[in-house]
Amino acid sequence: MEDDARVVEVVPYDPAWPELFETERRLLSKALPEALSVEHIGSTSVPGLAAKAVIDIMVVVPEADAVIADLRPLEQLGYVYRPGVFPEDGDHLFFPKDTAGKRSHHLHVFGVRSPVPGENRVFRAYLEANPAAARRYEAAKKRAADLHPHSRGRYGAAKEETMAQLSAEARTWSESARRQSPED
């Protein structure tokens, strides 16, 4: 069935996004009691940043395989396991969730060995601390959404170059901050 509805739409920042995350965080903490952390990531986690109205959540667990072994707690919350979405990282599990027939959440579960959670934290902190970088990312997201409103994959690819540049800047920024902070 061909539908003309957009699957990718970048909208202005919504101050309700942190509370939507918090509601889901409480549910996920109960569903995944072994979680070491449950964090709001992605563009909806950066105050003032336009984004797809999809709450990205990062959960770090001791072993990703343990989550796969019993998917029922996440399925009961409406999450659907999509194996192989991130084949480059075997410790990265992906679960989208739709609410009222529309994508509302992306759950990213990582084994504690994955380097991605740290990278996500640095990227989020960099965008929060650097409004010019956040605006560049926002512009790339809007361009990508305008070019590819019907394809999440093409949307992601279209903003990849800017995201890679910003990720490199974020790593440099983080390393510089670490070097400048006094040792405990």
Side-chain angles (χ1 to χ4, degrees):
M1 179 171 107
E2 201 60 36
D3 188 341
D4 210 27
R6 294 176 72 105
V7 295
V8 178
E9 185 174 11
V10 174
V11 299
Y13 179 78
D14 185 338
W17 288 338
E19 185 54 38
L20 292 171
F21 161 73
E22 186 56 32
T23 297
E24 209 67 16
R25 185 198 63 75
R26 287 190 292 270
L27 295 169
L28 288 165
S29 292
K30 290 177 184 170
L32 298 171
E34 71 277 17
L36 303 172
S37 66
V38 180
E39 300 174 53
H40 192 184
I41 60 168
S43 297
T44 61
S45 72
V46 179
L49 186 63
K52 296 189 325 283
V54 176
I55 306 299
D56 280 294
I57 301 168
M58 176 175 74
V59 174
V60 177
V61 295
E63 293 291 332
D65 289 343
V67 174
I68 297 170
D70 185 6
L71 296 171
R72 288 173 301 172
L74 294 176
E75 290 170 345
Q76 290 170 350
L77 295 177
Y79 288 97
V80 178
Y81 178 45
R82 297 283 187 242
V85 171
F86 295 96
E88 67 281 357
D89 184 353
D91 279 332
H92 185 174
L93 310 176
F94 180 66
F95 301 81
K97 177 179 179 177
D98 292 355
T99 302
K102 188 172 183 182
R103 183 65 48 89
S104 58
H105 298 79
H106 285 160
L107 173 61
H108 301 267
V109 177
F110 294 93
V112 73
R113 291 180 304 274
S114 174
V116 177
E119 295 165 4
N120 286 339
R121 291 179 189 114
V122 166
F123 190 72
R124 178 184 60 210
Y126 180 65
L127 293 181
E128 288 173 345
N130 295 279
R135 297 291 78 83
R136 283 176 32 226
Y137 189 44
E138 181 177 273
K141 291 167 69 67
K142 287 179 176 179
R143 267 192 314 274
D146 287 343
L147 287 170
H148 306 289
H150 304 293
S151 171
R152 288 183 187 96
R154 289 184 179 145
Y155 161 80
K159 66 184 179 77
E160 183 60 35
E161 183 178 338
T162 300
M163 189 164 179
Q165 290 170 348
L166 289 169
S167 292
E169 291 171 20
R171 283 189 300 277
T172 300
W173 170 81
S174 178
E175 290 164 6
S176 175
R178 227 177 297 132
R179 282 193 301 273
Q180 293 176 359
S181 71
E183 295 293 321
D184 292 349

